[in-house]
Amino acid sequence: MTTSKSSLCGLAPLEAILFDVDGTLCDSDPLHHLAFSEMLQEIGFNGGVPIDEEFYIKTISGKHEADIARALFPDDHERGIKFVEDQEAVFRRLAAEQLKPLNGLFKVKKWVEDRGLKRAAVTNAPRINAELMISRLGLSDFFDAVIIGSECARAKPHPDPYLKALDILKASKNHTFIFEDSVSGIKAGVAAGMQVVGIATRNPEHLLMQAKPAFLIKDYADPKLWEALEELDRKKGKASNEA
């Protein structure tokens, strides 16, 4: 994994951490992929050939509902929107039964809570999906706010959702960083002027790096992440002593 652990040091003292949801709090992409693949196959999309991982990453992963609908049904946007909404309902049924947290998530949760940091979930998922996933993971009381892309002027990859999170939390972009797993999400965070830690859950590392994250980790148990967080703690402690 590409890493530059010192890249977070300039954020001390840290005020807030922002989390994407799909693929960042949980490895939900396989459930989305399954729902999309089965439903598209049923209507004979792509000649009835199931969509592969490459198509899913390029066309669907991390993207807003309207953009997915437009990509799948360029000549019938209304049909596309209805299809995506139906897919989300299938996903919710799967998620209620199968959703699991990303490795190391609760270790990071404790680290954030122990330091009294502000935190928000920022996602392009529909609110009903986001709240289901957050609840299923036992994080409903953890987040100070849940920001939904479709409730902003523009969704990711635009910076609006992350800027809205900063505004609601009353946090500075100079003392906040983001966890993201998609190209769209990393681009949004970078455009908002923040450092982004990319998580290579499913998306290829070379594509994530093109979006310019501070560094990449495998999951929240990655030693490189903890080296960076420990260095942040040391810098905060040094600053406190000097004061």
Side-chain angles (χ1 to χ4, degrees), residues 3 53 64 88 94 99 108 125 127 135-136 138-139 142 155 159 179:
T3 182
E53 189 79 7
H64 185 251
E88 295 293 1
L94 294 171
L99 202 68
V108 166
R127 181 168 289 279
S135 173
R136 182 76 176 79
L139 298 174
F142 174 68
F179 284 115

Side-chain angles (χ1 to χ4, degrees), residues 176-222:
T176 300
F177 74 87
I178 297 166
F179 284 115
E180 264 285 1
D181 77 300
S182 71
V183 171
S184 172
I186 295 172
K187 285 181 176 179
V190 171
M194 283 178 276
Q195 298 275 22
V196 182
V197 176
I199 305 179
T201 313
R202 295 279 170 179
N203 292 309
E205 289 182 37
H206 72 279
L207 292 181
L208 295 177
M209 287 306 298
Q210 288 174 13
K212 302 190 181 339
F215 58 93
L216 290 183
I217 57 174
K218 178 182 177 183
D219 54 34
Y220 297 109
D222 195 317

